[in-house]
Amino acid sequence: QGQQQFNRSIRVLCDESVSAPVKECAEQFEREMKVKVSIHSTPGPDRNRSMANETLNPVPYDLDLSAGKPIEKVPSLNQVSCAFRSVVFATRTDFSQDMAELEQVFQNNLTYSTSADSTEEGRLLEHSLGKTNLWRKILSKRTKTFPSSKAAALQVASGKDLDGAFMWDFSARAFGLKIHRIKELKPASQTFFARTSNSSQNRLSALQFARFLSAPTKGQFYFAKAGFV
């Protein structure tokens, strides 16, 4: 097979948590559209720094894929919702009870963890519960903190020290954990938007890739495979 020929190229700044499905989608997009996709992934907390560095770069990103709210100043055609993530409480599948409220977590005297306060999911959990008694209770009763949801999910799945953990839903699915639909955690969710750059010369190709990411039989297949459902 000869080397694949591309007609155009785009550069994508991507949140690290969705880099795997985005890269898989990019491979399909390259085959079908003959557009080269270069992806730079970065953790959520470091995104502003990465984007600031790009202001010194003569070749800016054509597409930014990050979690947050729609930007009102950006025309709706130039920002496409692609995926969703939520902070959930998860246990092993052999936990028989289905919990719907945080008080049930406390009443069952479960040993649990949260992600570190410096992580995206840690901050979102705190922001969603605010300075309520429930948040203070979570802090006072948690057994451990982990640097990521993946680390917490691995520990819960191992069955050693923890009954459950607060983590990203996609991490819980990746390790086959049981997700409890806790009503107080409903606000702890985010949408990933793919936004084109107004200064990009490859704006059309970037928008095509954004729509490709949101298409049910294309990008959505890879997001679902990675646990973003």
Side-chain angles (χ1 to χ4, degrees), residues 110-221:
L110 301 181
T111 57
Y112 63 82
S113 70
T114 67
S115 294
D117 299 341
S118 59
T119 63
E120 193 78 9
E121 60 267 44
R123 287 197 300 269
L124 182 59
L125 178 62
E126 179 180 5
H127 178 74
S128 299
L129 295 175
K131 300 300 180 182
T132 63
N133 288 332
L134 286 173
W135 173 240
R136 287 189 285 270
K137 208 166 185 179
I138 285 177
L139 294 180
S140 67
K141 291 181 175 292
R142 70 180 175 188
T143 305
K144 292 183 178 180
T145 60
F146 286 94
S148 68
S149 286
K150 182 178 180 180
L154 178 62
Q155 189 70 12
V156 173
S158 72
K160 294 179 180 178
D161 302 319
L162 294 176
D163 297 315
F166 293 91
M167 65 181 75
W168 288 126
D169 54 351
F170 61 87
S171 293
R173 295 187 185 100
F175 285 85
L177 300 179
K178 181 176 182 177
I179 293 175
H180 298 267
R181 301 296 177 184
I182 306 294
K183 67 178 184 180
E184 292 92 345
L185 298 183
K186 284 185 178 180
S189 60
Q190 293 178 329
T191 302
F192 283 94
F193 289 95
R195 299 183 177 94
T196 60
S197 169
N198 290 329
S199 60
S200 171
Q201 295 181 347
N202 301 307
R203 199 167 170 183
L204 179 58
S205 295
L207 186 55
Q208 285 178 324
F209 184 54
R211 290 173 175 170
F212 202 90
L213 288 168
S214 67
T217 59
K218 300 183 186 297
Q220 293 304 294
F221 169 80

Side-chain angles (χ1 to χ4, degrees), residues 4-12 26 29-30 33-39 59-63 200-209:
Q4 188 168 348
Q5 299 295 315
F6 298 107
N7 300 323
R8 296 176 302 281
S9 65
I10 58 173
R11 300 178 74 234
V12 178
F29 182 77
E30 289 176 340
M33 307 301 291
K34 306 302 179 188
V35 176
K36 175 66 178 175
V37 182
S38 299
I39 297 173
V59 186
Y61 291 109
D62 302 298
L63 190 71
S200 171
Q201 295 181 347
N202 301 307
R203 199 167 170 183
L204 179 58
S205 295
L207 186 55
Q208 285 178 324
F209 184 54

